[in-house]
Every structure is written in structure tokens, then in C-alpha cells.
Amino acid sequence: MTTALNRRTRATRNRTVSRPARSERKQGLGSSRTASLVVVANRLPVHRVGVGSNAHWESSAGGLVTAVAPVMKKLPGVWVGWSGNDASIKPFIHDRMRIRPVTLGREEVAKYYDGMSNRTFWPLYHDAIRPPEFQREWWKKYVAVNARFAQAAAAEAARGDIVWVHDYHLQLVPAMLRERRPDLRIGFFLHIPFPPEELFEWLPWREEILKGLLGADVIGFQSPMAAQNFSRLCRHYAEAEGTGTSLRYEGRPIVNRAFPISIDFDWFDIRAKSPAAREGVAELRSRLGAKRKILLAIDRLDYTKGVVRRLQAVEELFERGLAKAEDCVFVQIATPSREAVAEYATLRDEVETIVGRINGKFSQPGRVAVHYFRRNLTREELITYYAAADVMLVTPLRDGMNLVAKEFVACRSDSTGVLVLSQFAGAARELTRALTVNPRDQDHFVEALRTALKMPREEARMRMSMLRSRVKRDDVYAWCDDFLSELRGTK
Ligand code: GDG
């Protein structure tokens, strides 16, 4: 086992090595024998844009893709996933990655994806913030689609390869794959929280899910609490034995522990420091009002992200005169998400009503109190916002990790800016120098915003430089090294 100290020493020793180069070495690129990596995830890391002769594949946004795609580009490997529509597409190469599309029909998308994944598992695993629904028809399609992914992964993997299955859409794949291909090393990583017993027990198919996951050799979670929840449930419902971090099931050892995901720190850092980004920041600041403080939030428009509570806190900030539109602006970037699910349409209406209400009360000519963008931005535009903001609000009601918080930190090379972070984001375990809030406690929330706006420059600098060291050290390459060396058994 590599100790935390060893990991730190290694990170320090390699500081002069650019992250991709270090990762390439560690993954064995360039050596005579490199086992391929087969990534299996609901979505491909690409999507189709344009029509006719202009049609082409572009890299997609989103937590999983952002985290895994940079590593995949350095390894020989395959990404198995759904292309996002019902067209049958042959495997192809994109940006040095082999892409193996899985085709889903309309009914499968409605039941496996919109239903079982997004209306059962997503809310159940996020503290049941919305009531999860349990429908047998959805479950049947979930089983069938998981079997299709397992079959595609089995067809792509050569003997001795390693397969890394991702997320709540594919929890049955590890056991289905093991049944077909016992020669493979199988890893599973859950990007979202894993709930405590009293919630997980609601699931009519709880044993099937636990046994599906137990097909893996390594099961990764975002937090130790999630790993412990899983372990307890496996002892109770699947006759597994063991502790919070290692189990025995059907005679096999299984590692189940926390691997907190991260970002490509250097990628953000370099771009945020570039002359183009600096120019973009100056222009944005002058358009928003050069002397105004900028409060910023960036989320997928999802009820777990706490957008409504956050707007209510901002509204109170203006209401109580703690901020005025002439010297303060709140920018909410909300990326459209899962619009086929009714709860998301309702959320959008609610958010737009509150934004309208705040602007109606507090905006002044030429000084809008809340700028709300419900659209996808380019990563360059995101970096401009991260680098321009004075205060970043990352205040989900529950979140596996939250990469936005880490991206903000990586974009602050001059160590300015204050991060206000929910205690219910996985990131709060690492980013302890942020201002932590309970987003349901409005008094506390408003107070934290006030503190953030008034924080002395020196204190902000000290906090931000500590946050930056942490994210720089524990970046996405360290995450990947950690998971893959555990999976290869080389730890
Ligand atoms: C899940 C878990 C976990 C956002 N808007 C745009 C855009 N983004 C990018 C951000 C960031 C990613 O999407 C969002 O990542 P999060 O971590 O915040 O959230 P989820 O999508 O819910 O991801 C989460 C994550 O998986 C990884 O394990 O952290 O807890 O829920 O990278 O920058 N990117 C672009 N345009 C946008 O408008 N290009």
C-alpha cells in the first residue's frame, strides 16, 4: 500500500515534470507491454454537431468527461458509451481515442436513462432531495441496457486488459462483465454520493445493485462516508465480509474506498494566465461595471446544485442593503440539463421567476443585479468568468465532488478570489480553506456572502494559495494513478 506520505513525496519529487508527461510514464506508455484501458460510461466523450458534409464529432462538457478524457488521451484504449441518439454508429477514432458507440432505442432512453437513472438513482443517491420513483418497467430496461454495455466492453477488451466502469447508470456491468470475462481486472467508480442504509433500503432491487457492483475488483467512491455506507450494506444484504475499505465476496478480495476525483490543474492554470484570458477578463469586468464586485455561480441546472436557495440568499443580500446593484452583480451560469425530466422543467421555471423578481426589485439602469445565462459556454468563456469573479458560490444541497469549485481555484493564479462552498459538496473535505456554508441555513449563508465580499485581501490570498496547493497536488492525474494502480494491484 502506498501511504499518504509516500504519495506526497512522489508528488513533490515530480513537481518539475509536466503532469501529462508524469502520467504517461506512470501508465507505462512507451514500455513494451501496456495493458489497454477500456472505459465504460453512459455517454461517449464526444457528440455529433452540424449536418451533412459539415457533421463532425466534438468533445463534450460534463464532470465525468472533463475528468477522464485527458487521461484517456495518454493511454491506448477504448471508450464504450452511448452516442446520445438512436443511430447505429460504427467504432471510430477521435482525438487519439477509440470510440465504441452503444446504440439505445427511444424506449430504452426513456426507461433506462430518463427513468431508472435520472428519476430513481439520481434523487435516491442525493438524499432524496426529490422523491425517487420506482417502476418495474424502468428496472427491466436498466438490466437489459447494462447487459448491452457489458457485452460491448467484453468484445473490446483483450485478455488481461483493465476495464473501468463509471457511474450510477451502469451499476450492474461489473458482475455482468465478470461472468463473461473472468480474466479482466474490473474497476468501478461512482461519481455521485452513495446513500446511507436508511435511504438505499428503499430500492426494490437493492440486492441486485450491490451484487452488480461487487463484480468489480476495485470500487471507488468520492468520500470515505460513501465507501462505508456501501460496505455496511454489502455485509447486511450480500453476505460480504470485511471493513469500510476492503471486502471479501464469493472468495474474492475487493477494495472499496474513497478516490476523490479532481481536475487537470495545469490545464486551467495555464489558460487562465494567458494574455487572451487576461484580455477577456478585462473586457468582461468593464462590461459588467469595472468597480463592481462579481459573485459567480456555474452549475448544470439541477435541483441538487442548490440554485434556488442560492438565489434566495442573494435576494436577501440585496434586500437587507448588504449589497447594491451599483457595486455588486451576481452572475448565474446554468447549463441546460435533462430537460426531458419534468422536475428539471419545473426547476427552470422556479429559477427564472426568482431571477426576474430580484432584477425587478434591485436592478438599476445599466446595472442588472442578476445576470442569468441558461446555455452552454465554451471552456475558454468559463475560464474568463472564473478568473474575473471576486466570489465563487458553489453551494449544492448534495454533490459527489463538484469540479467547478476546483476549476475556480485553478484559475486564480494571483491567489485572489474567495470560494464559498457547501459542506455537502464532496470537495469540502479537501477545500477546507473555503468559506463553508450549510445552504439550507439562510442566515448563515447570507452572513458568509457578506464575509466573502468584505474579506481582507491578505486573508483571501492566504486561503486561496492553500486551496491552490491542495488542488495542484491532488489533481486528476494523481486521482487516475491512484485508482489504476489499485486496480492493477501495484499499490
Ligand atoms: C458529476 C457529479 C462530480 C459546466 N457548465 C459548462 C461546462 N461545465 C463543466 C464544468 C465542470 C463540469 O461541467 C461539471 O462538473 P460538476 O462536478 O460540477 O458536476 P456534475 O456534472 O454533476 O458531475 C459531481 C463529477 O461528476 C465528477 O466526478 O464532481 O459531484 O455530480 O467541469 O466546467 N463546460 C462547458 N460549458 C458549460 O457551459 N464547456
Side-chain angles (χ1 to χ4, degrees):
M1 281 290 264
T2 308
T3 62
L5 183 65
N6 280 345
R7 274 203 296 278
R8 255 196 302 280
T9 314
R10 207 181 60 204
T12 313
R13 210 176 40 234
N14 285 302
R15 205 172 283 154
T16 50
V17 178
S18 81
R19 303 301 278 167
R22 178 168 81 94
S23 179
E24 278 174 37
R25 279 210 320 276
K26 287 192 68 64
Q27 311 297 350
L29 277 186
S31 68
S32 54
R33 167 69 177 97
T34 306
S36 287
L37 173 65
V38 180
V39 168
V40 189
N42 174 55
R43 291 302 291 265
L44 288 173
V46 291
H47 60 280
R48 195 93 174 130
V49 288
V51 283
S53 59
N54 284 330
H56 61 283
W57 294 94
E58 276 185 8
S59 301
S60 307
L64 168 59
V65 174
T66 318
V68 180
V71 182
M72 277 297 285
K73 286 184 205 158
K74 312 284 167 205
L75 284 166
V78 190
W79 190 305
V80 177
W82 171 41
S83 61
N85 57 38
D86 56 8
S88 166
I89 299 155
K90 292 217 166 73
F92 60 97
I93 304 288
H94 174 85
D95 213 2
R96 286 175 284 164
M97 249 185 270
R98 180 175 153 85
I99 304 283
R100 160 83 190 232
V102 172
T103 308
L104 299 183
R106 275 208 192 137
E107 198 193 341
E108 285 171 332
V109 175
K111 293 181 176 166
Y112 144 82
Y113 181 69
D114 295 330
M116 197 68 208
S117 298
N118 289 334
R119 293 172 71 183
T120 307
F121 289 120
W122 181 265
L124 181 69
Y125 285 20
H126 285 91
D127 293 351
I129 294 169
R130 292 283 188 281
E133 287 178 54
F134 304 100
Q135 292 200 24
R136 285 173 288 187
E137 290 307 308
W138 295 355
W139 170 250
K140 278 188 206 149
K141 281 285 180 258
Y142 185 84
V143 176
V145 170
N146 270 245
R148 179 114 37 90
F149 274 83
Q151 201 173 13
E156 288 293 333
R159 171 162 286 279
D161 275 355
I162 56 177
V163 181
W164 194 359
V165 184
H166 289 264
D167 233 357
Y168 59 101
H169 316 85
L170 302 176
Q171 296 171 95
L172 301 175
V173 169
M176 289 173 163
L177 188 55
R178 177 165 300 281
E179 208 181 311
R180 290 175 165 82
R181 294 290 304 276
D183 61 298
L184 300 171
R185 290 286 292 171
I186 303 170
F188 180 90
F189 184 76
L190 185 68
H191 291 255
I192 66 174
F194 192 82
E197 265 180 287
E198 57 270 28
L199 282 179
F200 188 82
E201 281 168 342
W202 293 1
L203 191 65
W205 310 282
R206 57 199 181 192
E207 284 174 33
E208 287 90 328
I209 289 297
L210 295 173
K211 289 177 181 169
L213 292 168
L214 284 166
D217 298 292
V218 177
I219 307 170
F221 298 93
Q222 300 276 29
S223 74
M225 199 168 58
Q228 274 156 20
N229 290 342
F230 175 72
S231 180
R232 214 171 294 127
L233 278 155
C234 287
R235 288 193 300 264
H236 191 158
Y237 288 106
E239 290 167 19
E241 291 170 356
T243 65
T245 54
S246 66
L247 291 167
R248 263 201 106 68
Y249 178 67
E250 293 185 337
R252 282 186 305 115
I254 294 165
V255 173
N256 59 293
R257 67 168 171 93
F259 297 84
I261 202 168
S262 196
I263 58 159
D264 187 345
F265 180 95
D266 292 342
W267 192 92
F268 284 94
D269 185 43
I270 289 165
R271 276 156 190 80
K273 283 197 265 213
S274 70
R278 283 177 200 273
E279 237 172 74
V281 169
E283 195 197 329
L284 179 63
R285 288 205 72 104
S286 93
R287 289 172 82 173
L288 288 171
K291 296 218 170 93
R292 293 168 97 196
K293 291 261 190 185
I294 303 172
L295 299 165
L296 173 68
I298 300 177
D299 324 79
R300 270 190 312 100
L301 193 43
D302 191 295
Y303 52 79
T304 59
K305 303 288 183 186
V307 184
V308 168
R309 297 255 173 204
R310 185 187 306 143
L311 282 165
Q312 287 166 344
V314 168
E315 184 172 29
E316 187 175 326
L317 196 72
F318 284 117
E319 196 103 54
R320 287 170 48 194
L322 302 173
K324 293 205 165 53
E326 64 195 50
D327 50 36
C328 187
V329 57
F330 176 47
V331 179
Q332 171 70 62
I333 296 166
T335 312
S337 182
R338 302 178 196 168
E339 298 198 322
V341 177
E343 281 89 346
Y344 289 74
T346 314
L347 172 69
R348 176 182 163 186
D349 289 347
E350 203 180 345
V351 165
E352 293 180 357
T353 302
I354 305 176
V355 170
R357 191 173 72 212
I358 301 175
N359 280 335
K361 282 193 281 187
F362 304 110
S363 293
Q364 293 168 13
R367 289 288 177 262
V368 175
V370 179
H371 278 281
Y372 164 72
F373 304 114
R374 196 190 63 82
R375 66 182 91 125
N376 259 300
L377 303 186
T378 64
R379 298 187 94 196
E380 285 65 31
E381 286 171 315
L382 284 188
I383 288 171
T384 306
Y385 279 99
Y386 284 138
D390 295 289
V391 180
M392 180 87 212
L393 278 59
V394 178
T395 57
L397 302 175
R398 177 63 72 192
D399 214 332
M401 176 56 60
N402 198 296
L403 298 179
V404 167
K406 294 186 173 182
E407 291 169 4
F408 170 67
V409 166
C411 289
R412 309 304 299 214
S413 55
D414 56 0
S415 291
T416 58
V418 179
L419 175 62
V420 176
L421 181 60
S422 163
Q423 67 184 94
F424 304 113
R429 285 187 60 83
E430 295 163 87
L431 304 183
T432 52
R433 293 296 167 151
L435 286 182
T436 314
V437 291
N438 168 1
R440 293 176 176 87
D441 179 347
Q442 194 158 317
D443 288 341
H444 180 209
F445 200 153
V446 174
E447 203 42 51
L449 295 183
R450 193 182 177 185
T451 308
L453 285 168
K454 288 176 147 180
M455 186 175 286
R457 202 171 290 183
E458 264 326 292
E459 184 186 345
R461 222 177 268 281
M462 186 268 291
R463 285 173 178 268
M464 184 52 76
S465 72
M466 290 171 102
L467 290 170
R468 286 175 60 79
S469 315
R470 182 70 196 252
V471 182
K472 184 172 173 59
R473 190 193 72 190
D474 296 333
D475 68 0
V476 70
Y477 297 101
W479 172 73
C480 228
D481 287 349
D482 193 17
F483 192 93
L484 293 179
S485 19
E486 190 72 84
L487 189 52
R488 291 194 173 104
T490 53
K491 275 206 102 65

